[in-house]
């Protein structure tokens, strides 16, 4: 097993280009794909390539932390737009418009979203595409959860919309759909001039993704049968149980996530900070939920539950959650 091309071996770049055509309706050539060590590395490479000090980038709030923290590390400024529960965790495009300044370089979208489980609708994506073109913005589209989508929801890749391929970085990887997160394989697809520029960061950072992991990923992409769909049916079973159980707990509520494997639980009625509630549940009930505010200020008042665990553990976790919240409320009433 030896180094491959820094860009990734041709088998996997071709498999990724084929997948993006087949599933996402975007025409990328293998030369427009850069293979990285997990999507996290691709995100860093894109942001390091496009952002100068002082540049602004629009990021969702709440969101997977890297989109706030990597711009901060690079001396750029993440400017948040809200994904509100009362809005079904969709983007408010008037808010997005109001936050564009001459320094705005790009906008990040994550659909389905971590931590909200929200899926951006085609209507919102079309309008966002018009905003991006009108304001000459680049778009980072994180689609790592695209396959984990329920109830007939449709995933739309923004790069497939007219005029968007040339300004979009389509970000994806093997971690979620194929549950290969520890294998560390991600990719970014974009116009070739950006791929060449990003390769400089990638080359001096990791050289190339592991050879055998690239080959395994090509096999997964080319030879997938019903495995992912079967897993999605199982995730749905866990989700349906957890959503019902949580909404039966006095003091808690949640929307039914349309994608990904997270439930964003509203705990505002408990009158506690997210971090305090998470600590309490960890210590009292031995269940681990992530305090929502780590994903941005808009996540305060929420806890993120993952149902990427066995059905039995999801059932037991919900039972423990119900008991611990009941005990907490009783203690407060006394
Ligand atoms: C939205 C999002 N993007 C990217 C990643 C990271 O993916 P990878 O394991 O490929 O680095 C995650 C991981 O949780 C995620 O939630």
């Amino acid at each position: 097993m030896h180094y491959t091309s820094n860009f990734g071996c041709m088998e996997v770049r071709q498999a990724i280009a084929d997948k993006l055509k087949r599933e996402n309706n975007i025409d990328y050539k293998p030369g427009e794909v850069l293979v990285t060590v997990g999507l996290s590395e691709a995100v860093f490479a894109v942001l390091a390539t496009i952002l100068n000090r002082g540049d602004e980038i629009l990021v969702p709030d709440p969101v997977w932390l890297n989109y706030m923290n990597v711009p901060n590390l690079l001396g750029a400024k993440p400017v948040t737009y809200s994904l509100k529960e009362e809005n079904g965790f969709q983007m408010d495009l008037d808010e997005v418009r109001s936050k564009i300044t001459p320094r705005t370089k790009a906008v990040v979208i994550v659909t389905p979203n971590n931590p909200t489980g929200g899926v951006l609708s085609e209507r919102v994506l079309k309008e966002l595409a018009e905003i991006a073109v009108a304001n000459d913005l680049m778009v980072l589209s994180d689609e790592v959860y695209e396959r984990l989508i329920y109830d007939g929801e449709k995933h739309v890749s923004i790069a497939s919309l007219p005029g968007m391929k040339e300004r979009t970085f389509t970000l994806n990887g093997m971690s979620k759909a194929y549950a290969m997160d520890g294998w560390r394989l991600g990719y970014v697809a974009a116009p070739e001039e950006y791929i060449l520029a990003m390769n400089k960061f990638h080359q001096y950072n990791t050289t190339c993704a592991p050879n055998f992991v690239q080959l395994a990923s090509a096999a997964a992409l080319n030879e997938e049968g019903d495995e992912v769909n079967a897993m999605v049916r199982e995730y749905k079973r866990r989700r349906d149980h957890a959503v019902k159980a949580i909404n039966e707990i006095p003091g808690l509520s949640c929307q039914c996530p349309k994608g990904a494997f997270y439930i964003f639980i509203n705990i505002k009625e408990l009158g506690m900070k997210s971090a305090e509630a998470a600590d309490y549940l960890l210590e009292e009930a031995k269940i681990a939920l992530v305090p929502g505010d780590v994903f941005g200020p808009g996540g305060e008042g929420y806890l993120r539950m993952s149902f990427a665990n066995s059905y039995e553990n999801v059932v037991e976790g919900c039972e423990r959650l119900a008991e611990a919240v009941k005990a907490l409320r009783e203690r407060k009433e006394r």
Side-chain angles (χ1 to χ4, degrees), residues 38-40 64 110 114 142 144-145 175-176 184 262:
L39 174 50
S40 307
W64 181 64
V110 181
N114 171 11
D142 183 323
V144 77
Y145 294 102
S175 287
K176 311 298 174 180
R184 311 307 302 131
Y262 305 109

Side-chain angles (χ1 to χ4, degrees), residues 270-282:
L270 296 183
M272 268 172 125
K273 291 272 182 209
S274 299
E276 199 191 343
D279 280 350
Y280 166 79
L281 291 166
L282 187 62

Side-chain angles (χ1 to χ4, degrees), residues 98-298:
S98 75
K99 296 213 162 154
I100 297 172
T101 75
R103 301 233 60 156
T104 311
K105 264 261 168 81
V107 54
V108 174
I109 54 173
V110 181
T111 182
N113 179 279
N114 171 11
T116 69
V119 172
L120 295 179
S121 71
E122 190 165 4
R123 184 191 58 75
V124 164
L125 290 170
K126 281 186 173 156
E127 206 176 321
L128 178 64
E130 284 167 17
I131 296 174
V133 172
N135 294 279
D136 196 19
L137 300 179
M138 296 185 234
V139 176
L140 277 66
S141 179
D142 183 323
E143 306 182 16
V144 77
Y145 294 102
E146 63 167 338
R147 298 289 303 278
L148 312 183
I149 195 160
Y150 315 102
D151 310 327
E153 278 288 322
K154 190 170 140 214
H155 172 78
V156 176
S157 292
I158 197 163
S160 69
L161 301 179
M164 289 309 290
K165 191 190 149 194
E166 54 265 43
R167 59 178 67 253
T168 302
F169 296 86
T170 300
L171 296 155
N172 209 328
M174 305 301 288
S175 287
K176 311 298 174 180
Y178 298 93
M180 287 170 66
D181 43 324
W183 295 63
R184 311 307 302 131
L185 196 115
Y187 57 88
V188 49
E192 198 168 0
E193 57 178 323
Y194 292 123
I195 298 292
L196 297 176
M198 285 185 287
N199 187 48
K200 292 179 188 158
F201 285 96
H202 168 68
Q203 171 181 350
Y204 297 123
N205 189 8
T206 61
T207 306
C208 65
N211 186 337
F212 52 94
V213 172
Q214 294 188 48
L215 296 177
S217 301
L221 291 166
N222 291 333
E223 295 168 31
E224 181 191 325
D226 191 45
E227 301 87 353
V228 178
N229 294 335
M231 197 60 226
V232 172
R233 289 192 288 276
E234 171 59 19
Y235 279 135
K236 181 180 174 329
R237 187 167 82 102
R238 298 175 194 171
R239 178 201 70 160
D240 288 349
H241 175 84
V243 166
K244 184 165 178 292
I246 290 162
N247 280 316
E248 282 169 2
I249 302 174
L252 303 188
S253 67
C254 68
Q255 289 200 356
C256 189
K258 296 176 173 175
F261 42 55
Y262 305 109
I263 299 175
F264 213 41
I265 308 173
N266 186 324
I267 61 155
K268 291 178 184 169
E269 251 190 61
L270 296 183
M272 268 172 125
K273 291 272 182 209
S274 299
E276 199 191 343
D279 280 350
Y280 166 79
L281 291 166
L282 187 62
E283 277 165 27
E284 288 292 311
K286 306 283 181 274
I287 50 176
L289 301 169
V290 182
D293 61 312
V294 305
F295 303 103

Side-chain angles (χ1 to χ4, degrees), residues 18 21 90 189 215:
D18 291 347
K21 175 73 196 150
Q90 290 288 321
L215 296 177

